[in-house]
Amino acid sequence: MSHQTGICASEKLKKFFANCRDGRYRLVKVSISSEALPQMELDESREQSGSWEEDWDSQVLPLVDPDQPAYFLYRLDEKDNSGYLWIFISWSPDHAHTRQKMLYASSKATFKKEFGQGQLKNEYFASSKEEMTLAGYKRHLTAAAGPGPLSKQEEEMKEIKESETRVDIGVDTKQQTMSSLAFPMERNALMALEEFLKKGHDYIQLSIDLENETILLKKKGVYSVEDLPSLVPENGARYHLFRYK
């Protein structure tokens, strides 16, 4: 599920984006302001001093706030026809407030559009400072170059098995929502997912209890495609899992 917040880049940030691609800047940190009408604002920038590998730890790590999410753009030395290529890092520490995590996760697509997705060679999510190191980035590359994609059924089984190994179960490892929010999943919801894989029913509807930070089961059953519009509530967001036949 994807939901955009309407938060856009400030005029100052847009002007910086237009002038930061000439090779002068190595690192850009962007934060979302806490004003009544929040905007994406330029937080910090650093100029190149060595190769991209030499600059990484000395430039990135001092700007990592252990409690506050942020967006990082890191310039490589590599170019294509459009100019230098960049890495986009979505930093969302485990200890950050849940609403802050949601705000950054749901504004990520807008941020990439404002900067220009064509110049992003790679992107990844980090929730610990170790993942923000150069070694952490290289581990990400190694993992991304691992075995080929799983089939749909293999992915479903993998998610269930990972869920069963945790007490505080959540979607995408710790049940991540919106690109890395770790919420526990109630037992009824987990059981419904297991029944879904066994084809006990064809539809599951889940919701997020923000106050208690829990994923809840709202509805399950056997429905047709024609039934789906009537299952979508008008008063709240939901996750819908449907087996199309």
Side-chain angles (χ1 to χ4, degrees), residues 88-176:
F88 170 49
I89 310 170
S90 181
W91 165 242
S92 187
D94 291 333
H95 299 299
H97 194 284
T98 298
R99 285 179 174 78
Q100 282 292 307
K101 292 182 180 181
M102 293 181 68
L103 185 64
Y104 277 82
S106 58
S107 302
K108 185 170 66 172
T110 299
F111 175 81
K112 292 190 291 184
K113 183 178 179 181
E114 293 277 13
F115 179 74
Q117 291 185 333
Q119 289 186 272
L120 297 176
K121 180 178 180 179
N122 201 355
E123 67 173 272
Y124 76 105
F125 169 85
S127 60
S128 69
K129 193 165 184 178
E130 192 279 332
E131 291 174 319
M132 293 292 288
T133 65
L134 177 61
Y137 171 64
K138 290 185 174 181
R139 277 193 293 273
H140 159 76
L141 293 180
T142 299
L150 302 176
S151 68
K152 183 177 180 180
Q153 185 173 5
E154 288 173 333
E155 288 178 346
E156 291 175 344
M157 291 302 298
K158 178 175 179 289
E159 290 178 2
I160 292 299
K161 288 183 181 297
E162 288 177 344
S163 296
E164 291 175 342
T165 63
R166 297 182 174 88
V167 176
D168 56 335
I169 302 174
V171 174
D172 189 9
T173 65
K174 282 183 167 181
Q175 300 302 344
Q176 291 180 344

Side-chain angles (χ1 to χ4, degrees), residues 11-23:
E11 289 302 316
K12 179 180 178 181
L13 181 59
K14 289 179 180 179
K15 290 179 181 178
F16 182 83
F17 279 168
N19 296 291
C20 71
R21 307 167 194 266
D22 58 1

